[in-house]
C-alpha cells in the first residue's frame, strides 16, 4: 500500500527528471516518456481508489520524521484519479499541440512537475507538505502560463496569477502556524483528532481556534478558486498555452474546494464561517455568470464561466454539502477541460461557418425574439413553479427521508427549483412548432439531471464522509438560525418572482419612454460588465501606484 | 542585553536605519566574489556578536522594528531593476527576520543555518549578476531581456537562483520563514502578517526581475556565449545541496 501511494506522487517527478536530463537527446521522445509516466500514474491512482472503494481503512505514510506524510483516504484517492486523468488528457493533447513551440521538452517537464505537485497536495497529511505543495503550484503555474518566453503579456498575466496565489498562501501559513502552536504537531490527522476531542480547547484573541483557522483556510481557498475580488487573474490567463488553460480550469482552480474538504474536521466545529463562505460563493457565482454573458471572446467567456462555477462550488461548501462540492469540481473539471481543448477547433471552424442553425432556439437565444403566441400564463405559471419542486422532492426522498431538516439541503433545493423554473419559464417564451414536446423534453432532462445529480452526490457523501453524524455536523455548521434563514429565503423568493414579473411586464408594455429608459439601464450594466466592473483597472492602478511609491521611497532614502 | 551590544548586533542583523550601513557598503564593493563573501559572512557576524554578548531579553519593540524594517526593504525592492541593489535589499529584509526568532530564544546554531539559507541564494545571485554584467555590461532588468531564448543556461540559473532567494519551497528560506511565522503568530499575530506580506513582496520583486531579464523577444540580445555546462552545473548542484540541507533544517523539521 505504502509503495503504491508513494509511487502515485513520485512517478511524475521521476518523469520530469528524466525528461529534463535527456530531453535534448529524446526530442519528441520526451513527450512519449511524459505521457507514459502520467498514464502509469493514472493506473496507480485508479488502483488506490479501488482499494479505498473496497473498504481499506485510511492510512498515512511518513517519508520523514515530522513532515512528508502522505495520506491514503477517500478524498486523496478520488482527487488523485481526477488529477492524473485530466493531466493525462492534457499531456496527450499537448504532444501535437505544442510540437511547433520552442521549449517542447521544458513544457513537459513543467507539466509533470505540476501533476506531481498536485498529487502531493491532495495526499498531504501534514501542514508543511500541504503548504509546500500549495505554494509550489502557484510558482509552477507561473512558468506554465508564461511558457512562451517571447510574450511579455503572457508573463504579465502569469505574474498577476502568482501574486494572487501568494496572497492566498498567507492565510494558509497563518492557519498552519496557529494549529502547530496549539497542538505541537504538523500532522493533520493528529490535529483533527485533537480538535474533535475538544474543539474549544484553544482560542485566538478570544475566538475559538476552529473558527479562526476555518476562516483563514476559507480565505486561502477563495484566492485559489477565484472568488469575487480575488478573481481578476482568472480570465486573463488565456495568453498561456491552451493545454495549460485546460489543466488550470479543470484542475488547479478547483483546489479551493479540495482545501475546504480537507479541513472539514475543522469546519464541522465552526458556527459562523460557513454562512460567510456561502455568501462569497453566491456573489462570485452571480458576478462570474453575469460577466461571462458580456464577453465576446470565447476563452475569456469560458474563464468567467469557471469563476461562476467556482462560486457554485464554494457555495455548496457554504451550505455544508462538502461532498457535493467535490462532485461539482470533478464534473466541472471534465466539462471545462473538454471545452478548453475544443475551443481552438471551434474558433477555427467558426471562421468558415458558425454552424448555428437558424431555428427556434437560434431566434430566441441570439435574436432575442420571444414567442408571438403563448399558452395561458396561469397554466404555465403553475407548471413553472410546481414541476421542479415535485422532481426535486422526489429525487431527495430517494436518498434521504429527513433531508429537509437541513438548511443547506433546502438552499440547494431552492437553487434547483429556481433553475428548473427558469428553464420552463424560458421555454414558455420560446416560439416552437411543437410546444408541448419541448416542455416535456425540458422537464424530462431536468428530472434526469436532478435525479442523477442527487444520487451521485449522495454516493459521494457516503464515500467521502461515511459517518452520518459528521455529515449532519457539517450541515449544522452551516445553519444560520431559523428566523434569519426564513427571512433570507423569503427575500430571495420575492426578488426572483419580482424579477420574473418585471420581465413579463416589460415585454408586455412597450412604451417608447420605457424602452429608452430600460435601454439606458442595460447599456450601463453591459458597459460595466464588459469592463469587468473596472476591478482589473483598479488593481492595475493600485499595483502601479505601489511601485511608484516604492521608487519615490528609494529616491528619498538615497537607494540605501 | 545592553544598548551598545544591541547597536552592534543591529548593524549586522540589519535594523532600520542602521541597515543603510550594509547597503552603502554593499553598493561600494565592485568585486562579485567579495560581495558573495560579504553576503555569507555579514549575518553570521551578527549572530556571533549576539552569542558573546551578555544574555538578555530582546525587547518587543526591537522585534517590531526589525519586522517593519524587513517589510520596508521588501517593499522598496519591488521597484528595483538593478540586480545587485535588489540582492542587497532582499538580504537586509531577510536577515532582519532573524530577530523574532532571537526574541523567542531559538538556538543560535539553528539561526546560523537560517541565515545561511537566506544568504547562499543571494550570494549565487551576485555571481549570476556578474555573469550578466560580463555579457551585457549591466545586470539590469528590462534593459535587454529575452535571455531564455538566447542564453538558456544563464536564464535557467537566473530563474532558479531568484526562486531560491524569494524562499520558494523547498529552499531553506521557505522553512526559515515558516518557522519565523510560527514563532511570531501566537503572541503578535500582526507581526506574523507583516512577515507574510514581506514574503509576498519578495515574490513580487523577484518576478519583476525575472520578467525583465529572461522574458521578451530576445532580439536585443547580442551574440554572446551562454554559461558553460560546468558553470551551470555549479549553480544546479549548489541549489540541490541547499534543498537537501533545507530538508534537514531544524525548527520546522526537527
Amino acid at each position: 500500500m505504502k509503495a503504491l501511494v508513494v509511487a502515485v506522487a513520485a512517478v511524475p517527478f521521476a518523469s520530469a527528471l528524466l525528461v529534463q536530463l535527456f530531453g535534448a537527446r529524446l526530442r519528441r521522445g520526451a513527450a512519449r516518456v511524459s505521457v507514459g509516466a502520467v498514464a502509469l500514474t493514472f493506473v496507480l491512482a485508479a488502483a488506490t481508489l479501488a482499494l479505498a472503494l473496497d473498504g481499506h481503512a485510511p492510512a498515512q505514510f511518513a517519508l520523514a520524521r515530522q513532515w512528508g506524510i502522505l495520506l491514503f483516504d477517500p478524498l486523496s484517492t478520488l482527487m488523485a484519479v481526477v488529477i492524473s486523468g485530466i493531466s493525462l488528457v492534457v499531456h496527450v493533447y499537448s504532444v501535437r499541440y505544442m510540437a511547433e513551440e520552442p521549449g517542447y521538452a521544458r513544457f513537459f517537464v513543467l507539466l509533470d512537475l505540476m501533476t506531481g505537485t498536485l498529487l502531493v497536495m491532495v495526499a498531504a497529511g501534514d501542514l508543511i507538505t500541504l503548504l509546500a505543495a500549495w505554494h509550489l503550484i502557484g510558482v509552477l503555474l507561473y512558468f506554465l502560463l508564461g511558457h512562451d518566453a517571447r510574450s511579455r503579456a503572457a508573463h504579465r498575466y502569469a505574474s498577476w496569477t502568482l501574486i494572487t496565489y501568494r496572497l492566498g498562501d498567507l492565510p494558509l501559513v497563518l492557519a498552519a502556524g496557529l494549529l502547530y502552536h496549539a497542538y505541537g504537531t504538523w500532522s493533520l490527522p493528529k490535529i483533527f483528532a485533537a480538535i474533535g476531542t475538544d474543539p474549544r480547547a484553544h482560542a485566538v484573541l478570544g475566538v475559538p481556534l476552529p473558527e479562526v483557522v476555518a476562516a483563514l483556510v476559507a480565505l486561502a481557498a477563495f484566492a485559489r478558486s477565484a472568488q469575487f475580488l480575488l478573481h481578476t487573474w482568472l480570465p486573463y490567463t488565456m495568453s498561456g498555452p491552451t493545454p495549460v488553460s485546460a489543466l488550470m480550469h479543470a484542475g488547479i482552480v478547483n483546489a479551493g474546494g479540495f482545501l475546504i474538504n480537507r479541513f472539514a474536521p475543522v469546519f464541522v466545529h465552526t458556527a459562523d464561517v460557513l454562512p460567510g463562505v456561502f455568501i462569497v460563493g453566491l456573489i462570485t457565482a452571480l458576478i462570474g455568470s453575469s460577466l461571462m454573458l458580456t464577453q465576446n471572446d470565447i476563452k475569456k467567456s469560458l474563464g468567467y464561466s469557471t469563476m461562476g462555477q467556482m462560486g457554485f462550488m464554494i457555495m455548496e461548501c457554504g451550505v455544508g454539502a462538502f461532498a457535493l462540492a467535490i462532485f461539482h469540481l470533478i464534473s466541472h473539471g471534465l466539462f471545462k477541460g473538454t471545452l478548453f481543448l475544443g475551443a481552438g477547433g471551434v474558433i477555427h471552424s467558426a471562421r468558415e461557418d458558425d454552424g448555428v442553425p437558424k431555428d427556434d432556439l437560434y431566434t430566441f437565444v441570439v435574436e432575442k425574439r420571444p414567442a408571438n403566441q403563448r399558452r395561458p400564463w396561469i397554466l404555465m405559471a403553475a407548471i413553472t413553479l410546481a414541476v421542479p419542486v415535485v422532481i426535486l422532492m422526489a429525487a431527495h426522498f430517494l436518498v434521504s427521508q429527513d433531508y429537509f431538516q437541513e438548511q443547506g439541503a433546502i438552499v440547494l433545493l431552492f437553487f434547483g427549483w429556481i433553475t428548473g423554473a427558469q428553464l420552463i419559464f424560458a421555454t414558455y417564451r420560446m416560439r416552437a412548432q411543437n410546444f408541448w414536446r419541448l416542455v416535456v423534453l425540458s422537464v424530462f432532462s431536468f428530472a434526469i439531471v436532478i435525479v442523477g445529480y442527487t444520487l451521485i452526490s449522495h454516493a459521494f457523501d457516503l464515500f467521502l464522509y461515511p459517518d452520518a453524524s459528521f455529515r449532519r455536523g457539517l450541515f449544522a455548521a452551516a445553519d444560520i438560525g431559523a428566523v434569519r434563514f426564513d427571512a433570507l429565503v423569503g427575500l430571495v423568493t420575492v426578488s426572483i418572482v419580482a424579477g420574473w414579473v418585471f420581465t413579463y411586464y416589460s415585454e408586455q408594455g412597450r412604451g417608447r419612454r420605457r424602452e429608452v429608459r430600460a435601454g439606458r439601464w442595460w447599456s450601463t450594466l453591459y458597459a460595466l460588465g464588459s469592463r469587468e466592473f473596472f476591478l482589473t483597472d483598479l488593481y492595475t492602478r493600485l499595483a502601479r501606484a505601489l511601485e511608484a511609491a516604492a521608487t519615490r521611497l528609494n529616491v528619498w532614502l538615497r537607494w540605501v | 542585553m545592553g544598548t551598545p551590544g544591541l547597536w552592534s548586533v543591529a548593524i549586522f542583523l540589519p535594523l532600520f536605519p542602521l541597515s543603510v550601513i550594509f547597503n552603502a557598503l554593499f553598493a561600494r564593493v565592485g568585486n562579485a566574489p567579495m560581495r558573495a563573501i560579504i553576503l555569507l559572512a555579514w549575518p553570521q557576524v551578527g549572530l556571533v556578536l549576539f552569542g558573546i554578548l551578555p544574555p538578555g531579553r530582546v525587547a518587543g519593540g526591537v522585534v517590531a522594528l526589525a519586522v517593519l524594517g524587513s517589510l520596508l526593504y521588501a517593499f522598496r525592492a519591488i521597484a528595483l531593476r538593478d540586480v545587485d541593489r535588489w540582492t542587497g535589499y532582499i538580504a537586509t529584509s531577510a536577515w532582519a527576520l532573524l530577530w523574532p526568532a532571537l526574541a523567542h530564544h531559538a538556538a543560535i546554531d539553528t539561526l546560523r543555518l537560517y541565515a545561511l539559507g537566506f544568504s547562499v541564494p543571494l550570494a549565487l545571485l551576485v555571481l549570476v549578476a556578474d555573469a550578466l554584467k560580463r555579457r551585457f555590461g549591466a545586470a539590469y532588468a528590462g534593459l535587454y531581456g529575452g535571455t531564455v531564448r538566447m542564453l538558456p543556461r544563464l536564464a535557467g540559473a537566473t530563474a532558479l537562483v531568484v526562486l531560491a532567494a524569494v524562499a520558494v519551497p523547498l529552499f531553506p528560506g521557505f522553512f526559515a520563514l515558516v518557522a519565523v511565522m510560527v514563532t511570531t503568530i501566537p503572541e503578535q499575530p500582526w507581526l506574523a502578517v507583516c512577515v507574510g506580506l514581506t514574503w509576498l513582496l519578495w515574490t513580487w520583486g523577484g518576478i519583476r526581475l525575472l520578467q525583465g531579464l529572461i522574458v521578451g523577444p530576445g532580439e536585443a540580445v547580442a551574440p554572446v556565449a551562454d554559461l558553460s555546462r560546468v558553470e551551470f552545473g555549479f549553480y544546479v548542484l549548489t541549489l540541490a545541496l541547499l534543498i537537501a540541507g533545507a530538508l534537514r533544517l531544524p525548527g520546522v523539521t526537527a
Side-chain angles (χ1 to χ4, degrees):
Chain A
M1 170 83 83
K2 182 179 180 181
L4 194 61
V5 171
V6 173
V8 169
V11 170
F13 289 117
S15 165
L17 188 65
L18 261 178
V19 175
Q20 176 61 39
L21 289 177
F22 305 109
R25 274 183 234 165
L26 288 168
R27 295 177 188 275
R28 291 293 180 86
R32 280 197 289 276
V33 170
S34 189
V35 170
V38 178
L40 176 63
T41 308
F42 178 67
V43 172
L44 295 172
T48 59
L49 180 62
L51 288 174
L53 286 168
D54 199 36
H56 277 65
Q60 48 179 306
F61 308 107
L63 305 177
R65 205 188 314 161
Q66 284 218 8
W67 63 284
I69 300 170
L70 295 180
L71 289 179
F72 165 82
D73 66 356
L75 183 61
S76 63
T77 52
L78 182 64
M79 292 304 297
V81 170
V82 174
I83 289 164
S84 54
I86 291 173
S87 176
L88 179 60
V89 173
V90 169
H91 269 76
V92 172
Y93 183 89
S94 307
V95 171
R96 287 180 64 191
Y97 188 88
M98 299 298 291
E100 303 299 320
E101 298 287 323
Y104 187 67
R106 176 165 49 93
F107 182 77
F108 281 95
V109 170
L110 286 169
L111 267 189
D112 286 343
L113 287 176
M114 178 60 95
T115 307
T117 311
L118 284 167
L119 290 167
V120 169
M121 181 193 76
V122 296
D126 64 89
L127 289 163
I128 293 290
T129 309
L130 180 67
L131 283 177
W134 190 259
H135 185 148
L136 268 178
I137 287 167
V139 175
L140 289 168
L141 186 59
Y142 169 77
F143 285 104
L144 273 170
L145 288 171
H147 179 72
D148 181 1
R150 293 162 298 183
S151 169
R152 289 192 191 279
H155 271 261
R156 193 165 53 246
Y157 296 131
S159 61
W160 200 234
T161 303
L162 179 58
I163 295 293
T164 311
Y165 273 29
R166 293 291 293 114
L167 204 58
D169 294 343
L170 178 56
L172 194 60
V173 181
L174 294 174
L178 287 171
L179 288 172
Y180 180 76
H181 184 258
Y183 298 104
T185 176
W186 296 110
S187 163
L188 284 171
K190 285 182 186 168
I191 290 169
F192 294 155
I195 289 177
T197 307
D198 184 5
R200 307 276 150 174
H202 300 278
V204 181
L205 304 173
V207 182
L209 184 65
E211 298 279 351
V212 179
V213 168
L216 291 168
V217 168
L219 281 176
F222 293 163
R224 190 58 52 108
S225 289
Q227 297 302 288
F228 183 58
L229 295 182
L230 292 169
H231 69 278
T232 47
W233 58 275
L234 184 64
Y236 287 90
T237 49
M238 305 308 167
S239 305
T242 295
V244 178
S245 299
L247 185 65
M248 194 179 78
H249 287 256
I252 299 164
V253 77
N254 298 318
F258 160 78
L259 188 72
I260 292 178
N261 268 271
R262 176 54 81 210
F263 281 85
V266 178
F267 280 94
V268 78
H269 296 295
T270 60
D272 301 321
V273 179
L274 287 179
V277 169
F278 171 76
I279 290 168
V280 171
L282 178 64
I283 293 170
T284 306
L286 287 172
I287 290 181
S289 306
S290 310
L291 291 178
M292 177 190 75
L293 296 172
T294 56
Q295 305 305 313
N296 48 20
D297 175 324
I298 184 170
K299 287 180 88 179
K300 213 167 164 189
S301 179
L302 284 175
Y304 276 115
S305 153
T306 299
M307 180 187 164
Q309 293 288 339
M310 290 302 101
F312 279 116
M313 181 187 73
I314 293 291
M315 207 168 75
E316 284 156 357
C317 292
V319 297
F322 279 42
L324 186 64
I326 292 291
F327 173 51
H328 191 149
L329 75 85
I330 293 171
S331 49
H332 170 255
L334 293 176
F335 87 73
K336 193 52 65 67
T338 311
L339 286 174
F340 266 105
L341 296 179
V346 170
I347 292 168
H348 179 72
S349 39
R351 283 185 184 136
E352 291 158 9
D353 173 24
D354 63 9
V356 181
K358 302 286 190 289
D359 58 8
D360 295 336
L361 193 63
Y362 175 84
T363 52
F364 176 69
V365 175
V366 179
E367 297 180 3
K368 309 282 183 199
R369 262 192 258 155
N372 293 328
Q373 303 251 319
R374 291 182 182 151
R375 311 289 145 180
W377 74 270
I378 292 183
L379 173 68
M380 290 314 301
I383 292 175
T384 301
L385 299 178
V387 170
V389 172
V390 172
I391 293 172
L392 284 159
M393 291 180 83
H396 282 83
F397 267 114
L398 278 176
V399 296
S400 177
Q401 299 292 315
D402 59 350
Y403 208 70
F404 300 98
Q405 292 169 11
E406 315 292 357
Q407 283 185 0
I410 295 170
V411 171
L412 289 175
L413 290 176
F414 191 71
F415 267 87
W417 170 66
I418 291 168
T419 312
Q422 188 67 45
L423 174 73
I424 299 173
F425 185 69
T427 312
Y428 169 61
R429 296 170 66 213
M430 286 174 70
R431 180 171 54 190
Q433 294 292 326
N434 193 340
F435 176 78
W436 287 110
R437 183 169 166 267
L438 193 62
V439 170
V440 170
L441 282 176
S442 303
V443 171
F444 183 67
S445 52
F446 179 70
I448 293 277
V449 168
I450 291 298
V451 172
Y453 204 78
T454 310
L455 292 179
I456 294 172
S457 67
H458 184 61
F460 269 68
D461 232 359
L462 295 179
F463 178 57
L464 294 175
Y465 302 108
D467 181 358
S469 62
F470 188 84
R471 293 202 300 269
R472 277 197 299 276
L474 285 174
F475 277 116
D479 279 5
I480 56 169
V483 176
R484 275 200 292 172
F485 180 74
D486 293 344
L488 188 69
V489 169
L491 181 71
V492 176
T493 310
V494 168
S495 310
I496 288 164
V497 172
W500 284 340
V501 170
F502 173 76
T503 310
Y504 182 80
Y505 279 103
S506 65
E507 282 182 5
Q508 291 294 310
R510 288 177 173 272
R512 173 78 189 135
R513 192 181 296 173
R514 184 178 293 182
E515 264 186 26
V516 169
R517 202 167 49 203
R520 266 196 224 127
W521 251 102
W522 281 116
S523 298
T524 309
L525 203 61
Y526 179 78
L528 273 173
S530 61
R531 291 304 304 269
E532 300 146 289
F533 299 117
F534 295 96
L535 269 177
T536 312
D537 303 278
L538 183 71
Y539 289 167
T540 307
R541 286 198 174 200
L542 183 65
R544 285 182 187 154
L546 284 172
E547 285 171 5
T551 306
R552 277 199 297 275
L553 203 57
N554 284 335
V555 172
W556 187 60
L557 292 170
R558 297 182 182 277
W559 302 94
V560 288
Chain B
M1 190 193 302
T3 309
L6 179 73
W7 281 79
S8 58
V9 177
I11 292 171
F12 292 96
L13 299 179
L15 279 185
F16 186 77
L18 294 176
S19 46
V20 299
I21 296 171
F22 165 74
N23 281 291
L25 177 75
F26 191 69
R28 282 176 190 280
V29 178
N31 183 279
M34 185 55 74
R35 280 169 171 248
I37 290 168
I38 290 174
L39 284 166
L40 293 171
W42 196 269
Q44 303 296 335
V45 174
L47 290 168
V48 168
L49 282 175
F50 189 86
I52 59 174
L53 286 171
R57 194 175 147 271
V58 177
V62 172
V63 176
L65 182 64
V67 172
L68 291 176
S70 173
L71 183 62
L72 175 73
Y73 273 91
F75 177 64
R76 291 175 63 189
I78 65 168
L80 293 180
R81 291 179 177 277
D82 181 77
V83 180
D84 283 331
R85 210 176 284 278
W86 188 84
T87 306
Y89 281 17
I90 295 296
T92 311
S93 178
W95 298 334
L97 292 178
L98 296 172
W99 280 100
L102 280 174
H104 284 85
H105 307 292
I108 288 287
D109 287 344
T110 303
L111 293 183
R112 280 192 188 131
L113 293 175
Y114 287 176
L116 209 57
F118 287 136
S119 294
V120 173
L122 295 169
L124 290 177
L125 191 54
V126 163
L127 301 181
V128 167
D130 189 52
L132 287 167
K133 277 187 231 167
R134 274 188 273 121
R135 284 162 178 81
F136 305 111
Y140 199 85
L143 202 60
Y144 28 87
T147 55
V148 75
R149 296 197 66 209
M150 316 305 281
L151 310 168
R153 287 196 206 107
L154 183 56
T158 311
L160 289 173
V161 168
V162 169
L163 289 180
V166 300
V168 162
L170 303 157
F171 291 107
F174 168 78
F175 295 102
L177 281 175
V178 170
V180 168
M181 287 180 80
V182 168
T183 52
T184 324
I185 194 167
E187 288 163 26
Q188 293 156 304
W190 69 273
L191 279 186
V193 173
C194 287
V195 175
L197 288 175
T198 303
W199 197 359
L200 171 71
L201 291 171
W202 290 4
T203 310
W204 186 345
I207 54 175
R208 280 194 89 221
L209 214 59
L210 286 183
Q211 279 177 22
L213 290 171
I214 67 173
V215 179
E219 287 149 5
V221 177
V224 288
D226 198 357
L227 284 183
S228 69
R229 283 180 189 278
V230 175
E231 284 174 303
F232 183 66
F234 162 74
Y235 287 110
V236 172
L237 188 67
T238 312
L239 292 171
L241 286 173
L242 262 185
I243 290 176
L247 297 179
R248 296 175 179 279
L249 201 61
V252 170
T253 55

